[in-house]
Amino acid sequence: QSALTQPASVSGSPGQSITISCMGISSDFVNYKLISWYQQRPGKAPKLIIYEATERPSGVSNRFSGSKSGNTASLTISGLQTEDEADYYCCSYAGSSSTLYVFGAGTHVTVL
Amino acid sequence: EVQLLESGGGLVQPGGSLRLSCEASQFSFHNYAMSWVRQAPGKGLEWVSAISASGESTYYADSVKGRFTLSRDNSKNTLSLQMNSLRAEDTALYYCAKDLGVDRYGYPDFDFGGQGTLVTVSA
């Protein structure tokens, strides 16, 4: 599993929906839902917001949703709010005997 | 709420060593696999290493393999990362993380319960 590709930045106005893609995931890993998404606000630790490609941990807003298709996973933020301005990272199983996981380079979301 | 207290970071010269610790509380430590994830200044997240709940299996990113050693003491709820032959590119904030659930091998679901410990490798 090589590096995962994410757009460097995405922006939207309050109330809009935005989608962040994560490309280059092995189709097998997509099928088995070995994908997660993290939100990281400035100066804070990452927070898990989507696991198994589409599931939300308890306490995470339902404005966050995950989807998958082919070699790509996507994160959609609906009803964009100023508090959503942060960096977002996808992460996938790497499938190596040594390296277990690989992160995408991250996407900065700006709320205009 | 999961609590993970990372410690042991600091300034070290290239080629030197450091030992990071992560003290876990508020969950059954011995049931969960654990990982270290790092973040270089101004950069993205990088998974570094993981260890199974029992401690029998360990995994490393290619970038640290052969230099870092991960271990755990389930009697003390403590995770340790021994870092040798440190390089400038190892400079980062190191986070300790627990798996979201038990028996989650292959699922990259991390619960970050602390604020990390900063490692700076510089002459």
Side-chain angles (χ1 to χ4, degrees), chain A residues 36 38 40 52 93 98 100-101, chain B residues 39 59-60 104 106 108 110:
Chain A
S36 56
Y38 295 85
Q40 187 178 33
E52 290 184 25
Y93 178 61
S98 174
L100 274 190
Y101 305 113
Chain B
Q39 187 168 35
Y59 309 87
Y60 301 93
R104 296 286 296 173
F110 307 122

Side-chain angles (χ1 to χ4, degrees), chain B residues 8-105:
Chain B
L11 175 64
V12 62
Q13 292 187 339
S17 299
L18 272 180
R19 187 175 182 87
L20 305 185
S21 294
C22 172
E23 192 174 322
S25 59
Q26 305 302 315
F27 68 99
S28 299
F29 181 73
H30 63 278
N31 283 335
Y32 292 86
M34 300 290 294
S35 287
W36 285 94
V37 174
R38 69 185 181 183
Q39 187 168 35
K43 303 296 184 182
L45 302 174
E46 179 186 15
W47 175 83
V48 173
S49 182
I51 188 168
S52 62
S54 67
E56 287 184 1
S57 299
T58 53
Y59 309 87
Y60 301 93
D62 289 340
S63 58
V64 307
K65 195 174 183 181
R67 300 187 298 122
F68 290 12
T69 302
L70 182 57
S71 61
R72 64 190 296 161
D73 185 338
N74 285 344
S75 68
K76 296 182 178 178
N77 290 354
T78 300
L79 184 71
S80 297
L81 183 67
Q82 178 66 42
M83 304 188 299
N84 298 331
S85 303
L86 283 163
R87 305 167 180 168
E89 54 264 37
D90 295 317
T91 294
L93 185 61
Y94 284 73
Y95 292 102
C96 170
K98 68 173 278 291
D99 274 11
L100 184 64
V102 298
D103 296 327
R104 296 286 296 173
Y105 176 88

